[in-house]
Amino acid sequence: MASGGEITITVSHRGAVHPLSLLPDATLSYLQAQLEDLTSVPVHNQKLLYKGKKAAPTDATVFDAGFKDGLKVQLIGPTAEELGGMQAVESEHQRKERILRERAQKIPAKVRSTGGSLSSDSQYTFHQIEPLPHLPNPASARELLTRLSNDPAIRHVMRKHRFSVRVLTELAPHEQPHLLGLNVNAGMAIKLRLRTDIYDGFRTYKEVRRVLCHELTHNVWGDHDNNFKELNSTLNREVAEFERAQSAGTHHLTGEGFEAPHSAFEAEAQAYVLGDSSHTLGGASSSSPDDSPEERRRKVLAATMSRLQKEEEELEQRCGTAEH
């Protein structure tokens, strides 16, 4: 035993060894406070492993708890910093579960056709349109936002996935030049870049609508992880399929010369190619005069998928989510 009747112990935590000298009448709570200062492991998360351990309350002495001179103790427990990280992950997980739970609790509307019912329209929609009055030509901005909110394909996916957005508004290019879209608090507001950088006009409708699909995905998923990518690709595919079905008067997507898609992203590209052959999303497809019609369509599909992937990468870089 150390001089003066002290007990000398060594406490190990994740490879670090901490020698301590304690009086026999020192309490367990005193020891745990010392260990929190040394290791950053909060008292309530500390677990002490040592030979001869006795069950004892925190106000018991270390002697009564079985501590002896020369004892080796193993401390197990997460640090405060690690707990903060785990709590942040848990908070995000709880937020997602809350959103999904709230959506599940809403009474689903019975939809028999792509037109939907009045009750579903009033529930799963954009409840307010707000152009920015300090920007030029707010009437045209309102017209574009209204067109987006009334877009049959957008209304279709909103009903199908039970999306509700309180406010649909715009972003000012000079105020947030790095953003194309922003979702605030999982659907409290969606803000879209409608205008060109120098305010000489508006961006194309399909560009803005694709950003809108991206931001609607943030109603469920905050991060650009695999869950987000899958849902976002699904929304874009369903928009394209819906429009093609409307124009063809059917709700079935078929394509002669194409195999069944192996992923949601490939299906989305097929829907674009089949739905609007005049819209060259993929750019040059390196077709040659000797290619068969099937081969030319496959090359267009590959080029379209490449273009969609590049567009999505740009959206991820220029997208924001915010919580208040």
Side-chain angles (χ1 to χ4, degrees), residues 73-272:
V73 181
Q74 180 71 43
L75 170 62
I76 299 175
T79 65
E81 183 178 359
E82 292 168 340
L83 285 172
M86 289 188 288
Q87 288 170 356
V89 172
E90 178 66 17
S91 296
E92 175 66 10
H93 178 72
Q94 290 174 345
R95 186 186 72 85
K96 293 175 181 177
E97 286 199 338
R98 173 181 57 78
I99 293 170
L100 293 174
R101 186 167 55 252
E102 290 174 354
R103 289 173 59 197
Q105 289 172 350
K106 295 178 180 178
I107 301 175
K110 295 182 179 179
V111 182
R112 294 187 177 182
S113 68
T114 55
S117 65
L118 291 177
S119 61
S120 65
D121 283 352
S122 63
Q123 188 173 9
Y124 306 122
T125 187
F126 303 96
H127 297 278
Q128 194 172 341
I129 302 295
E130 290 185 1
L132 296 180
H134 64 282
L135 297 184
N137 202 356
S140 294
R142 178 178 291 277
E143 182 179 344
L144 179 52
L145 290 171
T146 301
R147 180 184 175 190
L148 289 165
S149 69
N150 292 332
D151 188 301
I154 294 295
R155 291 164 72 95
H156 167 69
V157 298
M158 291 187 74
R159 287 194 300 267
K160 182 174 181 179
H161 297 274
R162 302 178 184 178
F163 290 149
S164 178
V165 177
R166 180 175 296 182
V167 179
L168 181 64
T169 185
E170 61 174 317
L171 289 170
H174 71 282
E175 294 174 358
Q176 294 172 303
H178 60 293
L179 293 181
L180 292 176
L182 178 68
N183 187 315
V184 181
N185 284 347
M188 290 290 290
I190 286 181
K191 303 179 180 183
L192 303 173
R193 171 83 71 87
L194 304 181
R195 305 164 188 271
T196 60
D197 292 343
I198 59 175
Y199 292 95
D200 60 347
F202 291 85
R203 301 175 66 236
T204 67
Y205 181 77
K206 285 196 172 182
E207 286 176 337
V208 179
R209 189 176 67 172
R210 186 168 178 82
V211 177
L212 175 57
C213 288
H214 184 103
E215 297 308 326
L216 282 172
T217 309
H218 281 304
N219 272 29
V220 180
W221 304 108
D223 298 328
H224 294 123
D225 55 12
N226 289 334
N227 291 317
F228 177 93
K229 294 177 189 294
E230 184 66 24
L231 178 57
N232 182 44
S233 183
T234 297
L235 295 185
N236 280 283
R237 184 186 73 245
E238 289 173 351
V239 165
E241 288 178 347
F242 181 90
E243 290 192 328
R244 180 177 179 274
Q246 268 202 331
S247 62
T250 177
H251 297 284
H252 300 285
L253 178 65
T254 58
E256 185 179 352
F258 281 108
E259 299 177 356
H262 297 291
S263 68
F265 206 89
E266 184 177 346
E268 177 190 343
Q270 285 192 15
Y272 271 103

Side-chain angles (χ1 to χ4, degrees), residues 7 9 22-32 48-69 71-73:
I7 296 175
I9 63 173
L22 303 167
L23 292 173
D25 58 354
T27 62
L28 277 177
S29 59
Y30 171 80
L31 170 61
Q32 289 179 311
L48 301 177
L49 303 178
Y50 55 93
K51 187 176 180 179
K53 183 175 181 178
K54 299 178 182 178
T58 57
D59 59 352
T61 66
V62 291
F63 181 81
D64 291 336
F67 284 79
K68 298 179 181 178
D69 190 49
L71 186 67
K72 295 181 179 180
V73 181

